[in-house]
């Protein structure tokens, strides 16, 4: 059956990098991948055209699609707008409208790029870890929240860290399922020694483990996890954690790999439908110059094939093709080092298609 993909290119380098991912998907379509693309506006581009960063039509296209491929949103042009219509609102809006509660952030370091990391090559070469972050609950959404004035006139800021058992179970299941498809090791990260909400997190993960005899579950406090990520990141296979801890740890993990232009991500709902996007932003400083690295977006398309469209062999082909172009010495400016061949955005996309 034809799978519908909503394509939301967005702003800045978004359209350039999404074009390259589409090239790759269209090349696979010639080999039998049955997809139909539908384009929608989001972010600043949508605001300019319609007065809102998330038009209803975009929400409809995305809801009726099997998966969504997103570029990036934002840019200098829209920075002075009221916060309610800023491009980033479009992104937060689509995530919540589609109930995308599971954020998958792989940190993979291709051996060919081991020098790009600020860590020693032997610590990071061959790194392949997946962080599963809860995305729609926890302290970023908990009520009550706000800033109040106390009786003595002093101001007090407050937020609420709250997790229901059902919220922990559904993110836990996603993480266990992923661990099953990888090396079978899951590390649940919490702060159960001081936070009751994450004490429940730990208990719930432990209960879930009974249904996954082929996955080895371990627990780690978040402070230790931060330290271990930098000390010996290759000890991890899959990590699962709360919204805020995941926000921080996944950015830390992405920098282990040295290049923001290489990392894809996925955000999934309960049925496995997902939005796929590079972890970087719209890079307005280099937009329109054909210098952006399209590989994070191309690898996001590969994640889409693996996690939503159930085409793991096609996903393997994209990942092998990316590895091959790196072996050939092709580099965009952000990952360039001496002796390599510098290429632009579209040349990199063409090279991946040729390597497929
Ligand atoms: P950014 O990720 O856009 O850029 C940070 C740096 O990395 C810049 O120097 C940029 O040139 C470089 N870079 C990013 N992607 C690259 C790529 N594919 N190839 C080569 N170099 C790349 O982050 P920023 O500068 O903090 O934000 C710029 C805009 O993007 C802001 O409006 C911000 O709100 C928005 N943003 C959007 C998203 C998203 O759409 N998911 C995420 C983060 C930031």
């Amino acid at each position: 059956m034809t799978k519908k993909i909503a394509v939301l290119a967005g702003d800045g380098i978004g359209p350039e990098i999404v074009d390259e991912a589409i090239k790759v998907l269209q090349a696979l379509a010639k080999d039998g991948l049955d997809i139909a693309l539908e384009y929608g506006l989001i972010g600043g581009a949508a605001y300019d055209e319609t007065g809102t960063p998330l038009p209803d039509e975009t929400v409809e296209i995305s809801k009726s699609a099997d998966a969504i491929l997103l570029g990036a949103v934002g840019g200098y042009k829209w920075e002075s707008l009221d916060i309610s219509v800023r491009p980033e609102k479009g992104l937060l809006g689509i995530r919540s409208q589609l109930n995308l509660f599971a954020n998958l952030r792989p940190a993979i370091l291709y051996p060919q790029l081991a020098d790009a990391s600020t860590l020693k090559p032997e610590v990071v070469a061959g790194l392949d870890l997946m962080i599963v972050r809860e995305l729609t609950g926890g302290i970023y959404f908990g009520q009550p929240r706000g800033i109040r004035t106390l009786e003595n006139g002093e101001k007090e800021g407050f937020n609420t860290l709250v997790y229901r058992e059902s919220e922990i179970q559904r993110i836990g299941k996603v993480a266990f399922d992923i661990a099953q498809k990888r090396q079978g090791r899951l590390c649940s990260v919490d702060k159960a020694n001081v936070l009751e909400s994450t004490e429940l997190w730990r208990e719930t993960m432990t209960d879930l483990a009974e249904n996954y005899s082929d996955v080895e579950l371990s627990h780690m406090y978040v402070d230790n996890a931060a330290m271990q990520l930098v000390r010996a990141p290759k000890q991890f296979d899959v990590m699962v954690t709360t919204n805020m801890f995941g926000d921080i740890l996944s950015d830390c993990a992405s920098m282990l790999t040295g290049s923001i232009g290489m990392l894809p991500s996925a955000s999934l709902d309960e049925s496995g439908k997902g939005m796929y996007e590079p972890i970087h932003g719209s890079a307005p400083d280099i937009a329109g110059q054909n210098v952006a690295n399209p590989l994070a977006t191309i690898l996001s398309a590969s994640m889409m094939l693996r996690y939503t469209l159930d085409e793991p062999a096609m996903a393997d082909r994209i990942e092998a093709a990316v590895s091959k172009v790196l072996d050939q010495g092709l580099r965009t400016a952000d990952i360039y080092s001496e002796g390599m061949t510098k290429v632009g955005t579209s040349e990199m996309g063409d090279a991946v298609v040729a390597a497929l």
Side-chain angles (χ1 to χ4, degrees):
M1 210 177 74
T2 306
K3 298 281 170 55
K4 227 164 89 179
I5 301 174
V7 181
L8 315 178
D11 309 316
I13 60 172
E16 300 166 59
I17 53 178
V18 163
D19 277 355
E20 302 313 310
I22 298 294
K23 257 187 208 170
V24 171
L25 287 172
Q26 279 169 342
L28 290 174
K30 288 188 191 134
D31 290 347
L33 179 66
D34 191 5
I35 50 168
L37 307 176
E38 203 166 346
Y39 291 79
L41 290 167
I42 194 164
Y47 175 82
D48 287 350
E49 194 114 331
T50 67
T52 160
L54 185 61
D56 291 343
E57 196 189 339
T58 300
V59 176
E60 275 159 35
I61 291 172
S62 304
K63 280 189 173 164
S64 69
D66 294 289
I68 299 131
L69 182 66
L70 180 97
V73 299
Y76 314 129
K77 186 178 168 192
W78 303 283
E79 272 168 11
S80 57
L81 288 178
D82 185 77
I83 195 155
S84 62
V85 288
R86 287 223 195 115
E88 292 76 7
K89 271 276 170 202
L91 193 55
L92 295 178
I94 194 115
R95 282 181 185 152
S96 71
Q97 293 242 21
L98 298 178
N99 203 13
L100 304 171
F101 70 91
N103 187 216
L104 276 46
R105 293 259 306 245
I108 299 168
L109 182 60
Y110 286 86
Q112 302 93 321
L113 299 179
D115 288 340
S117 175
T118 48
L119 269 69
K120 292 186 190 124
E122 63 268 28
V123 175
V124 288
L127 175 75
D128 179 0
L129 88 90
M130 173 75 86
I131 297 190
V132 180
R133 166 189 170 196
E134 200 290 324
L135 201 59
T136 53
I139 197 164
Y140 291 176
F141 293 92
Q143 295 288 347
R145 60 191 294 158
I147 299 174
R148 60 189 163 209
T149 305
L150 301 174
E151 273 174 17
N152 68 0
E154 191 186 3
K155 284 187 180 170
E156 180 181 69
F158 57 101
N159 292 86
T160 304
L161 173 56
V162 55
Y163 268 114
R164 283 194 206 155
E165 211 175 2
S166 56
E167 283 178 294
I168 305 170
Q169 279 165 344
R170 69 176 185 177
I171 191 74
K173 280 182 194 149
V174 170
F176 274 101
D177 287 346
I178 289 172
Q180 257 180 341
K181 291 184 194 149
R182 292 172 47 104
Q183 296 166 32
R185 289 182 295 115
L186 176 63
C187 178
S188 171
V189 177
D190 60 44
K191 191 72 183 169
N193 49 345
V194 286
L195 297 172
E196 287 81 356
S197 50
T198 70
E199 195 183 328
L200 178 66
W201 180 280
R202 186 175 283 224
E203 279 170 25
T204 309
M205 290 293 167
T206 304
D207 289 347
L208 271 180
E210 286 177 19
N211 306 326
Y212 293 88
S213 56
D214 48 350
V215 176
E216 183 195 316
L217 174 69
S218 60
H219 303 276
M220 198 178 272
Y221 295 136
V222 64
D223 42 349
N224 186 25
M227 192 172 79
Q228 295 300 332
L229 263 182
V230 184
R231 192 186 72 84
K234 283 190 272 185
Q235 70 184 281
F236 298 110
D237 176 21
V238 182
M239 299 172 97
V240 61
T241 191
T242 64
N243 200 343
M244 182 164 70
F245 294 162
D247 190 4
I248 299 164
L249 293 181
S250 61
D251 265 27
C252 174
S254 70
M255 278 324 292
L256 299 173
T257 73
S259 175
I260 200 170
M262 293 294 300
L263 294 176
S265 77
S267 306
L268 305 179
D269 76 2
E270 217 136 353
S271 70
K273 171 175 169 167
M275 185 160 86
Y276 295 83
E277 56 182 310
I279 68 157
H280 58 72
S282 59
D285 52 331
I286 57 167
Q289 297 171 30
N290 192 39
V291 296
N293 186 346
L295 293 178
T297 316
I298 290 172
L299 290 168
S300 300
S302 156
M303 281 188 91
M304 177 191 292
L305 294 170
R306 192 178 300 286
Y307 292 106
T308 295
L309 302 186
D310 202 20
E311 296 281 1
M314 298 265 186
D316 287 347
R317 278 183 68 192
I318 295 183
E319 283 157 28
V322 167
S323 190
K324 193 166 169 191
V325 299
L326 295 175
D327 278 340
Q328 290 164 350
L330 303 184
R331 302 282 189 273
T332 42
D334 57 311
I335 51 172
Y336 177 76
S337 59
E338 227 179 280
M340 300 292 133
T341 308
K342 201 183 274 186
V343 294
T345 311
S346 58
E347 291 77 20
M348 186 57 108
D350 291 342
V352 173
V353 168
L356 277 175

